[in-house]
Each structure stands twice: as structure tokens, then as C-alpha cells.
Amino acid sequence: IVAAPITHGTSTYLLPILAQGGCHVVLAGAGADAARTAFRERGGTVCFMPPTLVYMLMALPGASRADFPQLRRLIYGGAPMPPEKIREVRDFFGPVLGTTYGQTEAPQILTVLRPEDFEDPRHWASVGRTTWFSDVAIMAPDGRLLPAGEVGEVVARGDLLMTGYWRLPDKTAETLVNGWLHTGDRGMVDAHGYLYLKDRLKDMVITGGFNVYPVDVENALGQHPAVHECAVFGVPDDKWGEAVHAAVQLRPDQQIDEAELITFVRERLGPVLTPKHVHFYASLPRSPVGKVLKSAVRERAMALTPAACKHIYDCPPSARGTCCTHCLRFQDARHQPVLAHAHQLALPRRKSRRGPVGQEDLHRSDADANSEPRAARCGPANDGCCAHRADGARPDSERHRNTVDLHECP
């Protein structure tokens, strides 16, 4: 069953299945409903799909194993599947789950984790062992090959590799060095030859001098029964260099607050790996092939994080993250979400008569519009909080026109 784009990992299976006398059922439309119908009516035996689509199939109304009567191999790829999800998938589909690892430069099958390998839960966090087409190793930054158990960059060599990037000789020379393909992934190989991926080199978070691999935090978050899917990433932080953040999509009809999730992770991983903030999504943003877009959730988190704005106006450090998210360039589009986010739980909102068109701003109610001094409501942080001053005077600069009416700052 061709349930994912053949321009990606699915293409790996086209010729091998045809060579065995098989055929491909190409879906008329994308989505879990179309895939289930194909399995049920056309008798699909093999399928490759991203984890997200696997979860969607299981979540369809009335879905059961009987909808997949002839399924023998369900191969996932393109993104990791946390151990708790693997348990759920195996309980639903049975012992048919497998996965592979590769990339465009070394397509799809550098390693394979077969269904029989999944019988041992200790292997669930791995992507399997090297296939007969390639050699896979772990390399240190200085080019040394590392022994089992040590973390470094995953490198590969063999006939599966590309010969180079089309008309990009410099990029080719950077990626293919002394016969080894530098994948850009961090990982380690255990004593039995199983490869465990940590993360892309660029996705590793360095917080307070410690290396945090997002997949470790994602696996911990995934153990909470309310969490459907999550993504962990770093955002710039004045104190820590980077701070660990998480974007979380909950299961239907589940509720949990940020503090509870943070405590849940802290109890399992300790303070260093625990997210400083959790951002909740009704649906995580995804690429056309179902991968969660970490770049999108990171950008949104940075837009809502006061520390990411370098133009904060008169904000005492103790007040940042509460009321002082106003910046000297707040009219710039990239700062508009910051203004609304910080006050949306504390203040009444109405359509702004003065803000940018279409922006829903937060102001004092009309009944309080002429009462003074405004700084009186700002509490201990009133020395600059929300562009109010201790003497109650209103800033008269045009650049603060949208901030002077904000009130009730923690």
C-alpha cells in the first residue's frame, strides 16, 4: 500500500516488491481513511509510512486489527517512534513492526530493525543494525572512529552512498570525507551492533554547558498518558545559553498543565534535561510527509519568549516573562505575538483602535481609561513595568502608543 509520497522513503520499496512479483496500490487520496480502505479492500501486505500516519490509523473511529487482514510488514521511518508508542502499535497491529534508517545521500536502509528485533524491548530505542550494503560507524570531531557506547557523528560508507551533490563540489567535499559520508546525525552503537540515534547535530541543545539530546526528553514526555506527540528544542536564553522547550499535542479529551508535565520529566530525567517551558498545540505543525516541523515550533516559541526580544523597554529582570514583553520595535510583525501572549490570561481584550490592522490588542477597559496613576496597578515591578513609571506619567513617545494602557501586571 503506497501510503506515503514515493518521492521520499516509499520509493525504496518500489522495485524490490515488483521484483518479487508483487504490486503497488497507489491511493487516490492521502490520509488514514484512504489507507485503511486500501488495506481492508485490496489486501495490503506491506506498507511504509511515517509514525504520525500509524497513530492516525489507530485513532480512526472503530479501527481494529481486522481492518488490516493481510498485513505482514508495517515499516515506519522519517521520524523516531518513542518506546511507549512502539508498545501501543505492537499491541494494536501485532508483531509486524519494523523500521529502517538512512537519508537521501544513503537511501533508507543503512540500518534495519526487523520485527523479530522488536521482541526485545531493549532494542526499541534503536534503529537497528547495519545492512549488507554499507558500513556504519561513529566518528569523533577529530576523525577518530569511536568504540561501542560512545556518542559521536554517524558516518557511513559503501555502495549505497551517493557519488556527490549535483554541481555542488564544495558541499560534496564537506559531506564525503575519505570515503565516509557524514550524516549530520549524532548517535552511538552498542556492543551488539545496534545503532541508537540521539539527534541531528544542529538539534542538540547546549544548556548551561550540558548537552541535551531532544530525543531523550521526547521519550520521557511520551510516557505521560495525556501526551499524544511532542517535539523538544532549544531557544536562546540569557542565563543558560539555550533553554530546553517542548511543544506538546495532547490526546483527545485529555488535559494537563505545564507545571505537571515539567514535574513529570524532572522526576525521570533530573533538572538539566527538564523543559523550562511547555507549549501546547491542538495539532503540531507537520511537513507534507508527516514530520513535526521543529523549526516552526521553535520560531513560535521564540516569538512568545521575552528573552528572545533584544529591544525590551525598561524591563527589570524579575519582571521579564510576566508583564515586560514590550519592546521598542513592537510594531514590527515579528514582535506582535509577544505583546498579546504575555497578557492574554490577565487582561480584558478588545479590538485595538490604534494597533496594527487586524491585531487583537489588550487594553484597559473603557471605564478605566482616564483613571490615574496607571503605575499603581503594577505592584513591585512598577518601576518601568508595562511602560508605566513610578510617578504614573504616561510615556509620550509614539513607539509606546500600544503599551500605555496595559495594566494589572504581576
Side-chain angles (χ1 to χ4, degrees):
I1 303 298
V2 181
I6 60 174
T7 52
H8 292 76
T10 301
S11 61
T12 308
Y13 302 93
L14 296 181
L15 289 178
I17 288 177
L18 292 175
Q20 293 294 315
C23 69
H24 297 284
V25 177
V26 181
L27 305 185
D33 268 320
R36 178 172 66 171
T37 299
F39 276 106
R40 191 162 50 197
E41 298 180 359
R42 303 294 297 274
T45 58
V46 180
C47 191
F48 169 84
M49 61 181 68
T52 301
L53 185 53
V54 179
Y55 310 151
M56 292 170 65
L57 285 171
M58 295 165 55
L60 286 172
S64 71
R65 183 60 173 86
D67 293 326
F68 311 89
Q70 299 187 51
L71 178 62
R72 299 201 301 260
R73 289 288 184 271
L74 179 59
I75 305 163
Y76 72 89
M81 186 179 289
E84 288 305 310
K85 289 291 188 183
I86 289 174
R87 189 184 310 279
E88 293 178 22
V89 173
R90 282 173 51 84
D91 287 345
F92 185 94
F93 287 102
V96 299
L97 193 65
T99 190
T100 61
Y101 162 70
Q103 54 186 201
T104 302
E105 293 85 348
Q108 192 70 20
I109 48 174
L110 283 175
T111 67
V112 60
L113 193 66
R114 303 165 300 172
E116 49 265 42
D117 296 321
F118 278 91
E119 295 299 321
D120 187 344
R122 292 176 299 179
H123 300 152
W124 289 0
S126 83
V127 291
R129 291 185 285 191
T130 306
T131 65
W132 53 90
F133 295 112
S134 310
D135 293 325
V136 173
I138 306 298
M139 185 175 286
D142 61 6
R144 292 180 298 111
L145 296 183
L146 297 174
E150 292 196 25
V151 176
E153 184 179 10
V154 180
V155 294
R157 65 184 179 186
D159 292 338
L160 187 65
L161 271 57
M162 68 172 185
T163 55
Y165 296 107
W166 178 248
R167 294 180 177 175
L168 293 174
D170 292 342
K171 182 66 176 177
T172 298
E174 176 187 329
T175 305
L176 292 172
V177 181
N178 296 325
W180 289 101
L181 170 75
H182 288 252
T183 67
D185 292 325
R186 289 181 64 86
M188 70 94 173
V189 176
D190 69 11
H192 302 287
Y194 287 90
L195 174 63
Y196 294 78
L197 297 177
K198 291 299 183 179
D199 269 294
R200 297 289 294 170
L201 287 170
K202 64 181 181 180
D203 287 338
M204 184 178 71
V205 181
I206 303 177
T207 179
F210 292 93
N211 293 345
V212 174
Y213 302 109
V215 67
D216 295 334
V217 187
E218 290 164 358
N219 286 342
L221 281 167
Q223 295 174 30
H224 195 285
V227 174
H228 173 65
E229 202 166 357
C230 62
V232 172
F233 51 93
V235 301
D237 185 89
D238 290 339
K239 180 178 181 180
W240 302 107
E242 285 185 291
V244 179
H245 283 222
V248 171
Q249 179 179 333
L250 298 180
R251 296 179 186 273
D253 303 322
Q254 292 289 324
Q255 291 185 345
I256 188 173
D257 61 25
E258 180 183 46
E260 184 177 347
L261 270 183
I262 288 175
T263 300
F264 182 83
V265 176
R266 182 183 291 268
E267 290 172 350
R268 286 156 177 76
L269 300 181
V272 174
L273 277 68
T274 297
K276 298 290 190 292
H277 295 285
V278 177
H279 308 270
F280 292 96
Y281 283 76
S283 180
L284 287 167
R286 303 181 189 280
S287 72
V289 294
K291 291 185 180 181
V292 175
L293 294 172
K294 285 194 176 183
S295 59
V297 295
R298 182 185 292 112
E299 288 172 6
R300 181 175 184 272
M302 290 180 65
L304 300 178
T305 303
C309 175
K310 301 304 181 184
H311 308 283
I312 299 295
Y313 172 74
D314 286 343
C315 293
S318 61
R320 291 192 183 185
T322 54
C323 65
C324 292
T325 56
H326 313 300
C327 79
L328 300 184
R329 291 165 54 191
F330 71 93
Q331 295 178 54
D332 185 36
R334 66 192 178 93
H335 295 303
Q336 290 175 12
V338 181
L339 184 65
H341 174 74
H343 294 82
Q344 62 187 354
L345 299 181
L347 301 179
R349 61 173 69 190
R350 62 177 173 81
K351 291 292 182 181
S352 172
R353 292 191 297 264
R354 297 171 293 179
V357 175
Q359 179 183 351
E360 189 171 45
D361 208 348
L362 298 166
H363 295 271
R364 300 183 53 162
S365 65
D366 290 335
D368 293 334
N370 297 316
S371 58
E372 295 285 347
R374 290 184 170 83
R377 298 195 181 196
C378 288
N382 66 2
D383 207 351
C385 171
C386 293
H388 303 306
R389 297 201 294 268
D391 59 4
R394 297 166 60 107
D396 56 6
S397 171
E398 176 68 12
R399 69 191 180 200
H400 296 300
R401 60 178 182 163
N402 274 17
T403 63
V404 295
D405 288 329
L406 293 163
H407 72 302
E408 297 195 323
C409 301

